[in-house]
Amino acid sequence: MARIETPRRVRGTQDIFGEEQRRFGHVLDTFDRVRRLYCFGRVEVPVFEDTAVFARSIGETTDVVSKEMYTFPDRGGDSLTLRPEFTAGIARAFLTEGWQQHAPLKLATSGAVFRYERPQKGRYRQFHQIDAEILGAAEPAADVELLVMADQLLRELGIADGVTLQLNTLGDAATRDAWRAALVAHFEGHRGDLSEDSLVRLDKNPMRILDSKDPRDRGIADAAPDIDAFLTDEGRAFFDAVTAGLDAAGVAWTRNPRLVRGLDYYRHTAFEFVTDRLGAQGTVLAGGRYDGLIESLGGAPTPGVGWAAGVERLAMLLEEPALPTIDAVIVPMGAPAETRATGLLAALRRAGLAVDMAYKGKMKQRLAKADALGARHALILGDDELAAGVVQVKTLASGEQRQVALGDVAEALR
């Protein structure tokens, strides 16, 4: 008989288990708790969309669209793409589902996203993000709320130390247009010295040259004009309102005038929470205001602002999470006790208690299993206990043991 080859995990994916899963789950649980404190509703959007949703919203000249998207034709011949991020799908849903009537709308979601890129520490081809968006609010207060929410999330995860909020303004449309023209003029003067990627960006998306990591571009980008010289009164007032709100909320920030978002629909606030604890890939949470996005997808002009963070990268910063605890493990000795224990197990779980059962091995082995599962108590049930209608409740931390009537076990565990 031919040997069956064991299938391999696809490169750039992961199986999350044990301590790694506890870190991962802790990030999601904390995010869910914090988004409730800020009154953000949970939303679910499809894992795949029409390719045009991402090409139009992320930008066809970006690396994500041009190099990294998982795009495929379905059987009907339509071009579909696995989501590389959440904002575009939420914006599409806002339009197609008629959510405009609910604006301003505060939404949060999480789940798997997909990008075909070189796997590295904390970066996978299927990875996971948490995401928060406010649609239909043009006021700086929306930007402040999202930033304060992100700051609280990092604090509640216990990873705020060593993480810095970097903040910039992209101004209003007039500011952005004037700055873009000045950047084009600057980079055109150095066309012969720019990298190949930056030459492509110069024609289609010149602001992204400021982000370039290529050594040939860095000196030219660092000498480019700052946005502050082109800020309109409206653009400056908006940024001042955001920074004043952060100061009032006690959120520390630092100005980074080189922080940009290249696509034309971005306005005003751009931000990143960065750390050096993850090596070169220092961003743990990032976002900005995208007042032109809904319009680029064919909707009426609608303001929007949001952020996203990688779950795996946040999880890497966590202290090792404590083992979960459960209320009890039942240790039945003998077949009659095992039958009665099955009923007790169901009753305790229906009473809202986390309980498991240790079926196999000698008493010492079963108690060791109870301890390994993080149980606070072991419930020992044998022939003598069955005859008396009781169970032995052993507190594992102290070794103390007492008898409790079978009908009173739930109350005793509480």
Side-chain angles (χ1 to χ4, degrees), residues 32 35 41-47 49 83 86 89-90 92-93 97 99 107-112:
D32 197 54
R35 68 98 183 158
R42 176 83 196 188
V43 65
E44 306 293 342
V45 292
V47 172
E49 297 272 0
R83 63 187 181 205
F86 280 106
I90 290 173
R92 190 272 312 149
E97 305 303 324
W99 293 349
L107 299 172
T109 192
S110 63

PDB file of all heavy atoms in Angstrom, residues 32 35 41-47 49 83 86 89-90 92-93 97 99 107-112:
ATOM      1  N   ASP A  32     -12.909  43.621  22.515  1.00  0.00           N
ATOM      2  CA  ASP A  32     -14.373  43.573  22.579  1.00  0.00           C
ATOM      3  C   ASP A  32     -14.887  44.326  23.796  1.00  0.00           C
ATOM      4  O   ASP A  32     -15.899  45.043  23.726  1.00  0.00           O
ATOM      5  CB  ASP A  32     -14.844  42.117  22.609  1.00  0.00           C
ATOM      6  CG  ASP A  32     -16.319  41.982  22.261  1.00  0.00           C
ATOM      7  OD1 ASP A  32     -16.720  42.476  21.187  1.00  0.00           O
ATOM      8  OD2 ASP A  32     -17.066  41.407  23.064  1.00  0.00           O
ATOM      9  N   ARG A  35     -14.316  48.203  23.065  1.00  0.00           N
ATOM     10  CA  ARG A  35     -15.233  48.777  22.061  1.00  0.00           C
ATOM     11  C   ARG A  35     -16.628  48.945  22.648  1.00  0.00           C
ATOM     12  O   ARG A  35     -17.365  49.867  22.277  1.00  0.00           O
ATOM     13  CB  ARG A  35     -15.216  47.959  20.781  1.00  0.00           C
ATOM     14  CG  ARG A  35     -15.789  46.553  20.824  1.00  0.00           C
ATOM     15  CD  ARG A  35     -17.217  46.462  20.311  1.00  0.00           C
ATOM     16  NE  ARG A  35     -17.724  45.104  20.447  1.00  0.00           N
ATOM     17  CZ  ARG A  35     -19.022  44.842  20.492  1.00  0.00           C
ATOM     18  NH1 ARG A  35     -19.927  45.814  20.457  1.00  0.00           N
ATOM     19  NH2 ARG A  35     -19.425  43.592  20.607  1.00  0.00           N
ATOM     20  N   GLY A  41     -20.628  49.495  17.803  1.00  0.00           N
ATOM     21  CA  GLY A  41     -21.375  48.292  17.478  1.00  0.00           C
ATOM     22  C   GLY A  41     -20.511  47.312  16.703  1.00  0.00           C
ATOM     23  O   GLY A  41     -19.673  47.707  15.891  1.00  0.00           O
ATOM     24  N   ARG A  42     -20.737  46.035  16.928  1.00  0.00           N
ATOM     25  CA  ARG A  42     -20.013  44.987  16.213  1.00  0.00           C
ATOM     26  C   ARG A  42     -20.620  44.821  14.811  1.00  0.00           C
ATOM     27  O   ARG A  42     -21.833  44.846  14.636  1.00  0.00           O
ATOM     28  CB  ARG A  42     -20.119  43.689  16.996  1.00  0.00           C
ATOM     29  CG  ARG A  42     -19.495  42.462  16.329  1.00  0.00           C
ATOM     30  CD  ARG A  42     -18.017  42.370  16.550  1.00  0.00           C
ATOM     31  NE  ARG A  42     -17.425  41.427  15.616  1.00  0.00           N
ATOM     32  CZ  ARG A  42     -16.170  41.013  15.672  1.00  0.00           C
ATOM     33  NH1 ARG A  42     -15.377  41.453  16.643  1.00  0.00           N
ATOM     34  NH2 ARG A  42     -15.679  40.182  14.790  1.00  0.00           N
ATOM     35  N   VAL A  43     -19.765  44.655  13.811  1.00  0.00           N
ATOM     36  CA  VAL A  43     -20.218  44.430  12.441  1.00  0.00           C
ATOM     37  C   VAL A  43     -19.409  43.273  11.845  1.00  0.00           C
ATOM     38  O   VAL A  43     -18.250  43.065  12.223  1.00  0.00           O
ATOM     39  CB  VAL A  43     -20.055  45.710  11.582  1.00  0.00           C
ATOM     40  CG1 VAL A  43     -18.595  46.089  11.408  1.00  0.00           C
ATOM     41  CG2 VAL A  43     -20.723  45.557  10.215  1.00  0.00           C
ATOM     42  N   GLU A  44     -20.042  42.500  10.977  1.00  0.00           N
ATOM     43  CA  GLU A  44     -19.348  41.434  10.247  1.00  0.00           C
ATOM     44  C   GLU A  44     -19.480  41.724   8.749  1.00  0.00           C
ATOM     45  O   GLU A  44     -20.567  42.057   8.285  1.00  0.00           O
ATOM     46  CB  GLU A  44     -19.961  40.056  10.548  1.00  0.00           C
ATOM     47  CG  GLU A  44     -20.055  39.701  12.024  1.00  0.00           C
ATOM     48  CD  GLU A  44     -18.712  39.517  12.699  1.00  0.00           C
ATOM     49  OE1 GLU A  44     -17.703  39.316  11.981  1.00  0.00           O
ATOM     50  OE2 GLU A  44     -18.667  39.570  13.938  1.00  0.00           O
ATOM     51  N   VAL A  45     -18.389  41.618   8.014  1.00  0.00           N
ATOM     52  CA  VAL A  45     -18.412  41.826   6.568  1.00  0.00           C
ATOM     53  C   VAL A  45     -17.786  40.613   5.891  1.00  0.00           C
ATOM     54  O   VAL A  45     -17.055  39.852   6.518  1.00  0.00           O
ATOM     55  CB  VAL A  45     -17.669  43.121   6.153  1.00  0.00           C
ATOM     56  CG1 VAL A  45     -18.429  44.355   6.638  1.00  0.00           C
ATOM     57  CG2 VAL A  45     -16.240  43.130   6.689  1.00  0.00           C
ATOM     58  N   PRO A  46     -18.058  40.394   4.591  1.00  0.00           N
ATOM     59  CA  PRO A  46     -17.561  39.187   3.914  1.00  0.00           C
ATOM     60  C   PRO A  46     -16.041  39.106   3.885  1.00  0.00           C
ATOM     61  O   PRO A  46     -15.334  40.115   3.893  1.00  0.00           O
ATOM     62  CB  PRO A  46     -18.121  39.335   2.492  1.00  0.00           C
ATOM     63  CG  PRO A  46     -19.308  40.228   2.628  1.00  0.00           C
ATOM     64  CD  PRO A  46     -18.963  41.185   3.724  1.00  0.00           C
ATOM     65  N   VAL A  47     -15.553  37.859   3.814  1.00  0.00           N
ATOM     66  CA  VAL A  47     -14.116  37.626   3.703  1.00  0.00           C
ATOM     67  C   VAL A  47     -13.628  37.981   2.300  1.00  0.00           C
ATOM     68  O   VAL A  47     -12.455  38.304   2.122  1.00  0.00           O
ATOM     69  CB  VAL A  47     -13.790  36.155   4.049  1.00  0.00           C
ATOM     70  CG1 VAL A  47     -12.341  35.815   3.757  1.00  0.00           C
ATOM     71  CG2 VAL A  47     -14.092  35.879   5.519  1.00  0.00           C
ATOM     72  N   GLU A  49     -14.589  40.185  -1.509  1.00  0.00           N
ATOM     73  CA  GLU A  49     -15.380  41.227  -2.150  1.00  0.00           C
ATOM     74  C   GLU A  49     -15.056  41.233  -3.643  1.00  0.00           C
ATOM     75  O   GLU A  49     -14.067  40.633  -4.085  1.00  0.00           O
ATOM     76  CB  GLU A  49     -15.021  42.613  -1.577  1.00  0.00           C
ATOM     77  CG  GLU A  49     -15.302  42.813  -0.098  1.00  0.00           C
ATOM     78  CD  GLU A  49     -16.712  43.310   0.186  1.00  0.00           C
ATOM     79  OE1 GLU A  49     -17.494  43.508  -0.783  1.00  0.00           O
ATOM     80  OE2 GLU A  49     -17.037  43.488   1.377  1.00  0.00           O
ATOM     81  N   ARG A  83     -10.174  39.716   1.427  1.00  0.00           N
ATOM     82  CA  ARG A  83      -9.964  41.049   1.986  1.00  0.00           C
ATOM     83  C   ARG A  83      -8.540  41.214   2.519  1.00  0.00           C
ATOM     84  O   ARG A  83      -8.079  40.409   3.332  1.00  0.00           O
ATOM     85  CB  ARG A  83     -10.977  41.353   3.088  1.00  0.00           C
ATOM     86  CG  ARG A  83     -10.862  40.432   4.288  1.00  0.00           C
ATOM     87  CD  ARG A  83     -11.997  40.645   5.287  1.00  0.00           C
ATOM     88  NE  ARG A  83     -11.819  39.751   6.425  1.00  0.00           N
ATOM     89  CZ  ARG A  83     -12.811  39.323   7.213  1.00  0.00           C
ATOM     90  NH1 ARG A  83     -14.059  39.700   6.982  1.00  0.00           N
ATOM     91  NH2 ARG A  83     -12.550  38.526   8.229  1.00  0.00           N
ATOM     92  N   PHE A  86     -10.058  45.866   6.345  1.00  0.00           N
ATOM     93  CA  PHE A  86     -11.496  45.935   6.620  1.00  0.00           C
ATOM     94  C   PHE A  86     -12.195  47.189   6.105  1.00  0.00           C
ATOM     95  O   PHE A  86     -13.385  47.161   5.800  1.00  0.00           O
ATOM     96  CB  PHE A  86     -11.748  45.843   8.131  1.00  0.00           C
ATOM     97  CG  PHE A  86     -11.706  44.445   8.671  1.00  0.00           C
ATOM     98  CD1 PHE A  86     -10.622  44.011   9.417  1.00  0.00           C
ATOM     99  CD2 PHE A  86     -12.743  43.559   8.432  1.00  0.00           C
ATOM    100  CE1 PHE A  86     -10.576  42.727   9.927  1.00  0.00           C
ATOM    101  CE2 PHE A  86     -12.715  42.269   8.932  1.00  0.00           C
ATOM    102  CZ  PHE A  86     -11.623  41.846   9.689  1.00  0.00           C
ATOM    103  N   GLY A  89     -14.348  47.122   2.796  1.00  0.00           N
ATOM    104  CA  GLY A  89     -15.565  46.327   2.876  1.00  0.00           C
ATOM    105  C   GLY A  89     -16.639  46.990   3.718  1.00  0.00           C
ATOM    106  O   GLY A  89     -17.833  46.923   3.397  1.00  0.00           O
ATOM    107  N   ILE A  90     -16.232  47.644   4.804  1.00  0.00           N
ATOM    108  CA  ILE A  90     -17.201  48.362   5.637  1.00  0.00           C
ATOM    109  C   ILE A  90     -17.788  49.543   4.863  1.00  0.00           C
ATOM    110  O   ILE A  90     -18.998  49.799   4.922  1.00  0.00           O
ATOM    111  CB  ILE A  90     -16.529  48.817   6.947  1.00  0.00           C
ATOM    112  CG1 ILE A  90     -16.226  47.594   7.825  1.00  0.00           C
ATOM    113  CG2 ILE A  90     -17.408  49.815   7.701  1.00  0.00           C
ATOM    114  CD1 ILE A  90     -15.415  47.896   9.070  1.00  0.00           C
ATOM    115  N   ARG A  92     -18.089  49.740   1.596  1.00  0.00           N
ATOM    116  CA  ARG A  92     -18.996  49.159   0.602  1.00  0.00           C
ATOM    117  C   ARG A  92     -20.330  48.799   1.239  1.00  0.00           C
ATOM    118  O   ARG A  92     -21.405  49.087   0.702  1.00  0.00           O
ATOM    119  CB  ARG A  92     -18.321  47.934  -0.028  1.00  0.00           C
ATOM    120  CG  ARG A  92     -19.027  47.349  -1.250  1.00  0.00           C
ATOM    121  CD  ARG A  92     -20.079  46.315  -0.894  1.00  0.00           C
ATOM    122  NE  ARG A  92     -19.587  45.340   0.049  1.00  0.00           N
ATOM    123  CZ  ARG A  92     -20.378  44.748   0.950  1.00  0.00           C
ATOM    124  NH1 ARG A  92     -21.671  45.048   1.045  1.00  0.00           N
ATOM    125  NH2 ARG A  92     -19.873  43.867   1.802  1.00  0.00           N
ATOM    126  N   ALA A  93     -20.290  48.170   2.425  1.00  0.00           N
ATOM    127  CA  ALA A  93     -21.523  47.791   3.116  1.00  0.00           C
ATOM    128  C   ALA A  93     -22.340  49.025   3.498  1.00  0.00           C
ATOM    129  O   ALA A  93     -23.575  49.027   3.406  1.00  0.00           O
ATOM    130  CB  ALA A  93     -21.187  46.969   4.359  1.00  0.00           C
ATOM    131  N   GLU A  97     -25.932  48.629   1.843  1.00  0.00           N
ATOM    132  CA  GLU A  97     -26.946  48.234   2.816  1.00  0.00           C
ATOM    133  C   GLU A  97     -27.767  49.406   3.330  1.00  0.00           C
ATOM    134  O   GLU A  97     -28.631  49.225   4.190  1.00  0.00           O
ATOM    135  CB  GLU A  97     -26.292  47.503   4.000  1.00  0.00           C
ATOM    136  CG  GLU A  97     -25.442  46.299   3.616  1.00  0.00           C
ATOM    137  CD  GLU A  97     -26.213  45.267   2.815  1.00  0.00           C
ATOM    138  OE1 GLU A  97     -27.422  45.078   3.094  1.00  0.00           O
ATOM    139  OE2 GLU A  97     -25.629  44.667   1.888  1.00  0.00           O
ATOM    140  N   TRP A  99     -26.791  52.015   5.166  1.00  0.00           N
ATOM    141  CA  TRP A  99     -26.499  52.380   6.550  1.00  0.00           C
ATOM    142  C   TRP A  99     -26.364  53.893   6.742  1.00  0.00           C
ATOM    143  O   TRP A  99     -26.198  54.349   7.880  1.00  0.00           O
ATOM    144  CB  TRP A  99     -25.211  51.691   7.009  1.00  0.00           C
ATOM    145  CG  TRP A  99     -25.341  50.202   7.108  1.00  0.00           C
ATOM    146  CD1 TRP A  99     -26.491  49.469   7.042  1.00  0.00           C
ATOM    147  CD2 TRP A  99     -24.286  49.250   7.298  1.00  0.00           C
ATOM    148  NE1 TRP A  99     -26.227  48.130   7.168  1.00  0.00           N
ATOM    149  CE2 TRP A  99     -24.873  47.964   7.326  1.00  0.00           C
ATOM    150  CE3 TRP A  99     -22.906  49.368   7.437  1.00  0.00           C
ATOM    151  CZ2 TRP A  99     -24.130  46.799   7.490  1.00  0.00           C
ATOM    152  CZ3 TRP A  99     -22.157  48.204   7.604  1.00  0.00           C
ATOM    153  CH2 TRP A  99     -22.760  46.943   7.635  1.00  0.00           C
ATOM    154  N   LEU A 107     -18.454  51.630  14.352  1.00  0.00           N
ATOM    155  CA  LEU A 107     -18.422  50.198  14.063  1.00  0.00           C
ATOM    156  C   LEU A 107     -17.069  49.598  14.434  1.00  0.00           C
ATOM    157  O   LEU A 107     -16.029  50.242  14.282  1.00  0.00           O
ATOM    158  CB  LEU A 107     -18.677  49.952  12.572  1.00  0.00           C
ATOM    159  CG  LEU A 107     -20.025  50.436  12.029  1.00  0.00           C
ATOM    160  CD1 LEU A 107     -20.056  50.304  10.513  1.00  0.00           C
ATOM    161  CD2 LEU A 107     -21.170  49.649  12.659  1.00  0.00           C
ATOM    162  N   ALA A 108     -17.095  48.346  14.869  1.00  0.00           N
ATOM    163  CA  ALA A 108     -15.865  47.611  15.169  1.00  0.00           C
ATOM    164  C   ALA A 108     -15.988  46.195  14.646  1.00  0.00           C
ATOM    165  O   ALA A 108     -17.085  45.625  14.608  1.00  0.00           O
ATOM    166  CB  ALA A 108     -15.604  47.595  16.676  1.00  0.00           C
ATOM    167  N   THR A 109     -14.863  45.617  14.244  1.00  0.00           N
ATOM    168  CA  THR A 109     -14.864  44.248  13.763  1.00  0.00           C
ATOM    169  C   THR A 109     -13.484  43.639  13.956  1.00  0.00           C
ATOM    170  O   THR A 109     -12.530  44.322  14.329  1.00  0.00           O
ATOM    171  CB  THR A 109     -15.295  44.182  12.278  1.00  0.00           C
ATOM    172  OG1 THR A 109     -15.549  42.816  11.931  1.00  0.00           O
ATOM    173  CG2 THR A 109     -14.228  44.746  11.352  1.00  0.00           C
ATOM    174  N   SER A 110     -13.392  42.349  13.700  1.00  0.00           N
ATOM    175  CA  SER A 110     -12.104  41.652  13.755  1.00  0.00           C
ATOM    176  C   SER A 110     -12.212  40.395  12.915  1.00  0.00           C
ATOM    177  O   SER A 110     -13.308  39.916  12.626  1.00  0.00           O
ATOM    178  CB  SER A 110     -11.730  41.294  15.204  1.00  0.00           C
ATOM    179  OG  SER A 110     -12.689  40.399  15.756  1.00  0.00           O
ATOM    180  N   GLY A 111     -11.061  39.855  12.510  1.00  0.00           N
ATOM    181  CA  GLY A 111     -11.078  38.628  11.739  1.00  0.00           C
ATOM    182  C   GLY A 111      -9.840  38.494  10.875  1.00  0.00           C
ATOM    183  O   GLY A 111      -8.901  39.294  10.958  1.00  0.00           O
ATOM    184  N   ALA A 112      -9.860  37.468  10.022  1.00  0.00           N
ATOM    185  CA  ALA A 112      -8.715  37.167   9.171  1.00  0.00           C
ATOM    186  C   ALA A 112      -8.662  38.105   7.975  1.00  0.00           C
ATOM    187  O   ALA A 112      -9.686  38.463   7.401  1.00  0.00           O
ATOM    188  CB  ALA A 112      -8.795  35.718   8.691  1.00  0.00           C
TER     189      ALA A 112
END
